[in-house]
Amino acid sequence: GKGMNQSVALAKAGVDVYHGGMIGEDGQPFLDACKEFGVHAEYIRQIDTKSGHAIIQIDKNAQNSILLYGGANQQLTSEYIDTVLADFGAEDILLLQNEVNMLPYIVDKAYEKGMQIALNPSPFNEKLDAVDMKKISIFLLNEVEGNQLTGLTEPNEILDKLRELYPHAKVVLTLGKDGAVYADKAQKHFQP
């Protein structure tokens, strides 16, 4: 899923990546991909269920319409999360997306450890209401998710509102074929 895509992309860019999460009995391809791309997989647990998966359709407005089956992704426990996070600290970045359960717990525990927390709030749903977004260090989102977080539609307005709401966070707002914008409290940079 999105988490694996992010891990592989970071590993290809030369980052030392440790992927955590649950996979089902059908999850061997995930472990194979980790090995192929150099993603550390020792925190991935295989459990007796099916792996989570999504069917992504494009709606009539060319936006993603995602059907999500949580499966093993939704089987995280506080004990498992504590075990994984025990090996990481303030010098580490935790990259999350909203395809797993216990997201508020994960954010709170990583924040207590002083970790930087990067969040891709996708798929966007009511579960995110329970996450303390003030603990997020980096938001990675598209225009639709930016709208869902701020109620605004114009990219500059979305960025300004996010910087107002979360002044200590960095934001990467993707704009589809139009590129992306990085912003923090002091600056904005457009990448075509």
Side-chain angles (χ1 to χ4, degrees):
K2 186 181 310 307
M4 180 58 82
N5 291 341
Q6 292 169 329
S7 289
V8 168
L10 287 166
K12 284 182 171 184
V15 176
D16 201 18
V17 178
Y18 294 82
H19 190 96
M22 303 289 186
I23 57 174
E25 64 259 2
D26 55 347
Q28 188 60 44
F30 292 101
L31 298 175
D32 294 343
C34 287
K35 185 175 182 180
E36 177 182 351
F37 295 108
V39 174
H40 298 274
E42 56 265 30
Y43 295 106
I44 297 175
R45 299 292 179 265
Q46 195 163 24
I47 60 175
D48 188 26
T49 190
K50 296 291 182 194
S51 295
H53 58 271
I55 299 170
I56 303 173
Q57 305 174 41
I58 305 298
D59 71 14
K60 64 183 178 180
N61 299 314
Q63 295 295 327
N64 287 346
S65 178
I66 301 171
L67 303 172
L68 183 65
Y69 167 72
N73 288 0
Q74 299 290 316
Q75 301 297 318
L76 302 181
T77 65
S78 57
E79 294 80 15
Y80 167 77
I81 293 163
D82 292 344
T83 298
V84 172
L85 290 179
D87 291 340
F88 298 93
E91 69 282 357
D92 297 310
I93 299 172
L94 176 64
L95 176 56
L96 300 168
Q97 35 60 37
N98 195 30
E99 292 180 347
V100 298
N101 65 315
M102 300 197 68
L103 199 58
Y105 183 85
I106 298 168
V107 168
D108 290 346
K109 291 299 182 179
Y111 187 81
E112 287 173 13
K113 296 179 72 61
M115 296 177 75
Q116 288 189 61
I117 304 166
L119 174 66
N120 181 330
S122 177
F124 196 95
N125 60 33
E126 69 284 345
K127 291 188 324 180
L128 290 167
D129 292 340
V131 175
D132 185 351
M133 296 294 186
K134 292 190 182 335
K135 295 178 178 177
I136 304 302
S137 308
I138 306 165
F139 288 95
L140 306 167
L141 64 167
N142 63 29
E143 291 173 279
V144 173
E145 295 147 359
N147 168 259
Q148 291 166 316
L149 272 175
T150 66
L152 301 168
T153 56
E154 293 300 317
N156 280 325
E157 292 177 354
I158 291 169
L159 288 168
D160 290 344
K161 186 65 174 181
L162 288 170
R163 291 192 304 177
E164 175 189 324
L165 292 170
Y166 314 109
H168 300 292
K170 298 171 177 76
V171 180
V172 176
L173 179 67
T174 61
L175 307 172
K177 64 179 175 32
D178 294 325
V181 182
Y182 167 84
D184 59 33
K185 64 182 172 183
Q187 60 189 327
K188 266 189 216 178
H189 294 287
F190 174 69
Q191 174 63 48

